[in-house]
């Protein structure tokens, strides 16, 4: 299996690049943000709880997202591989992901990390808020909170994969297709 963690702050382009990667490599896209938004849309108890945190730009508890990933891995045992988008976001999630994959005799192939400046991220997220209607993209203070959550809890996850010699950094500003080409070059290397 080809198992990729697509990493970077909110607005780095993970969703856009994931769509292109799943098409090219036939992978299954596992976005915990998308899974949570579909729980919210379905009006489930989990969705209602998660929404309170998401609307404030805070992370939802590790156990919630780990449980979601666990059930998706079990439901897709024949997959060619997975793209993890927006997960893991804490060291505890990264450790849990390694343990879950080990249970399927699998592991992470690499982490591809998109590098984008905070100024560019804020600009992109506010623009996305106008087009997508995502509540957590509408307000600059919530966006800053999400970037702060990234810096305080998530950025360290790159170090976790660096220790396993799996971290690859890619410039995330530029044309979508040239960023995609750089990602593919890393995967094929
Ligand atoms: P995203 O679509 O990845 O930007 O995620 C939107 C929101 O969902 C985040 O701001 C968090 O509140 C929540 N979320 C998504 N993925 C995770 C995760 N792996 N751990 C904790 N919270 C998450």
């Amino acid at each position: 299996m080809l198992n990729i963690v697509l990493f970077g702050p909110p607005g780095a382009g993970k969703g856009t690049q994931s769509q292109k990667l799943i098409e090219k490599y036939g992978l299954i896209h596992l976005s915990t943000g998308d899974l949570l938004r579909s729980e919210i849309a379905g009006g489930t108890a989990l969705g209602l709880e998660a929404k309170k945190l998401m609307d404030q730009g805070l992370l939802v508890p590790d156990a919630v997202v780990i449980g979601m990933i666990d059930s998706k891995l079990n439901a897709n045992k024949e997959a060619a591989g997975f793209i993890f988008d927006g997960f893991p976001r804490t060291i505890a999630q990264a450790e849990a992901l390694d343990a879950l994959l080990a249970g399927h005799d699998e592991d992470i192939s690499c982490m591809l990390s998109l590098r984008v400046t905070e100024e560019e991220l804020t600009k992109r997220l506010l623009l996305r808020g106008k087009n997508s209607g995502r509540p957590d993209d509408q307000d600059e203070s919530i966006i800053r909170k999400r970037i702060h959550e990234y810096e305080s809890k998530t950025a360290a996850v790159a170090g976790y994969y660096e220790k396993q010699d799996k971290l690859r950094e890619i410039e995330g500003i530029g044309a979508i297709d040239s960023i995609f080409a750089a990602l593919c070059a890393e995967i094929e290397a």
Side-chain angles (χ1 to χ4, degrees):
M1 276 191 181
L2 178 60
N3 295 314
I4 296 169
V5 175
L6 192 56
F7 191 70
K14 301 186 294 292
T16 304
Q17 296 295 339
S18 289
Q19 287 310 321
K20 296 175 75 70
L21 291 168
I22 58 174
E23 252 173 57
K24 175 157 176 162
Y25 295 102
L27 306 173
I28 293 196
H29 183 206
L30 293 184
S31 155
T32 41
D34 285 351
L35 293 170
L36 289 165
R37 281 183 290 277
S38 68
E39 293 283 336
I40 293 173
T44 65
L46 189 156
L48 291 175
E49 276 309 303
K51 183 173 165 43
K52 290 183 203 155
L53 294 162
M54 290 166 76
D55 283 350
Q56 296 174 73
L58 299 172
L59 295 186
V60 307
D62 288 334
V64 171
V65 286
I66 292 166
M68 289 176 145
I69 292 289
D70 187 17
S71 67
K72 290 289 173 189
L73 293 178
N74 287 325
N76 292 283
K77 288 190 174 138
E78 307 305 318
F82 297 92
I83 292 198
F84 298 94
D85 164 3
F87 180 90
R89 261 177 156 102
T90 62
I91 300 284
Q93 291 177 23
E95 289 170 347
L97 179 58
D98 274 350
L100 290 176
L101 288 171
H104 296 273
D105 287 324
E106 287 295 334
D107 64 359
I108 290 298
S109 314
C110 62
M111 167 186 267
L112 302 175
S113 172
L114 293 166
R115 215 178 16 228
V116 179
T117 59
E118 180 166 344
E119 191 192 352
E120 173 74 11
L121 295 174
T122 309
K123 204 172 78 188
R124 287 187 191 177
L125 290 169
L126 285 169
L127 184 69
R128 187 170 79 185
K130 284 194 192 119
N131 300 326
S132 77
R134 255 180 72 165
D136 58 347
D137 283 342
Q138 311 285 334
D139 179 323
E140 197 159 338
S141 71
I142 306 289
I143 289 175
R144 293 214 182 278
K145 185 78 209 166
R146 285 160 62 205
I147 295 173
H148 178 263
E149 285 281 85
Y150 173 81
E151 281 163 1
S152 61
K153 297 176 184 158
T154 304
V157 175
Y160 179 88
Y161 290 95
E162 191 174 23
K163 279 192 203 127
Q164 299 184 10
D165 199 22
K166 291 180 177 172
L167 172 65
R168 305 289 177 264
E169 290 200 81
I170 287 105
E171 176 58 52
I173 300 184
I176 289 173
D177 284 337
S178 45
I179 298 167
F180 180 60
L183 291 170
C184 295
E186 286 295 350
I187 291 170
E188 277 147 40

